[in-house]
Amino acid sequence: MFTWESLENACAQCRACALCQTRTNLVFGVGEKSAEILLVGEGPGEKEDLDGVPFVGKAGQLLDDMLKIIGLDRKTNVYIANVVKCRPPGNRDPLHQEQAACLPWLREQFRLIRPKIVLCLGRIAAGALIHPDFRITSEHGQWFEKSGVFFMALYHPAALLRDDSKRPETFVDLKNVEEKILQICSHTVLNKY
Ligand code: URA
Ligand code: SF4
């Protein structure tokens, strides 16, 4: 069994897939380790690889704005990680074998956090965590319960930057998340209440 410190130290040494050869920094995760809400993206982009922190580029700024709408932020009440911890070159999708090699790290993070809600950002994370043939256009915003934990996929913020027309649906999904938080999380979770 890992503690946070031993997990982070072990992960930092990981060479379980070829992405270790091209990474600048491994991107482990950021946020509140006792959060009831875990957010999972796909993998580090260029800025994340340089900084070693998830969602610090343009998509990350939009993510922070999205979270703020429902009283969430990475400093106090969510933890943010990715399916793969090292950047896929040129921001290509992580391969199945890379995802499979990396998922044990996320599983350990999940075990330590014990979130009540897991929000998958985009198709890749939803495919890895909810079900393998996940269709983001038809299945975003739906709840999937697994062993008492509620999973939902949202459009990836990078997809919202490319296509503004998806934003209203994402707003509806976020309000749905807010409602679930009010139902099942401690009432102090949302900063605005
Ligand atoms: N996109 C992701 O999926 N994860 C990050 O950390 C940054 C961009
Ligand atoms: Fe290890 Fe994951 Fe990085 Fe591959 S992507 S080297 S499995 S930490």
Side-chain angles (χ1 to χ4, degrees):
M1 279 293 275
F2 284 106
T3 60
W4 269 106
E5 205 187 344
S6 66
L7 180 65
E8 198 158 353
N9 288 337
C11 188
Q13 311 294 320
C14 180
R15 305 193 68 82
C17 83
L19 295 180
C20 70
Q21 295 163 17
T22 45
R23 71 184 175 218
T24 310
N25 288 295
L26 185 142
V27 179
F28 181 72
V30 70
E32 170 53 50
K33 296 181 174 81
S34 63
E36 290 174 288
I37 300 143
L38 170 64
L39 271 70
V40 181
E42 162 178 336
E46 186 179 17
K47 186 150 178 15
E48 290 77 18
D49 173 66
L50 292 173
D51 291 5
V53 180
F55 285 100
V56 286
K58 278 207 176 101
Q61 285 168 23
L62 178 57
L63 177 64
D64 286 338
D65 292 345
M66 288 161 61
L67 293 176
K68 198 168 175 201
I69 293 172
I70 56 168
L72 299 176
D73 77 82
R74 63 171 78 195
K75 287 203 184 71
T76 60
N77 53 17
V78 299
Y79 191 84
I80 308 177
N82 282 305
V83 172
V84 294
K85 312 290 192 230
C86 307
R87 182 192 182 205
N91 297 349
R92 64 161 170 75
D93 289 351
L95 305 174
H96 280 298
Q97 71 209 58
E98 293 161 351
Q99 295 181 38
C102 210
L103 273 171
W105 297 121
L106 183 63
R107 220 165 274 134
E108 292 300 330
Q109 289 174 307
F110 180 92
R111 222 169 259 154
L112 288 167
I113 298 168
R114 300 200 300 122
K116 294 185 173 155
I117 294 175
V118 178
L119 300 177
C120 299
L121 300 168
R123 172 183 59 87
I124 299 281
L129 304 187
I130 300 178
H131 69 83
D133 54 347
F134 197 89
R135 314 260 319 179
I136 191 79
T137 42
S138 56
E139 294 183 285
H140 72 87
Q142 292 181 28
W143 290 110
F144 296 81
E145 191 190 341
K146 297 187 186 207
S147 314
V149 180
F150 288 87
F151 290 73
M152 182 200 278
L154 299 167
Y155 280 118
H156 195 290
L160 301 177
L161 289 173
R162 283 193 301 268
D163 180 4
D164 264 359
S165 72
K166 294 188 170 82
R167 291 193 187 205
E169 290 171 83
T170 301
F171 184 75
V172 172
D173 294 348
L174 286 168
K175 295 309 261 183
N176 189 341
V177 172
E178 180 180 39
E179 204 172 295
K180 183 67 85 185
I181 292 171
L182 291 172
Q183 282 166 9
I184 68 168
C185 296
S186 0
H187 11 270
T188 49
V189 161
L190 298 178
N191 290 329
K192 65 181 183 182
Y193 292 95

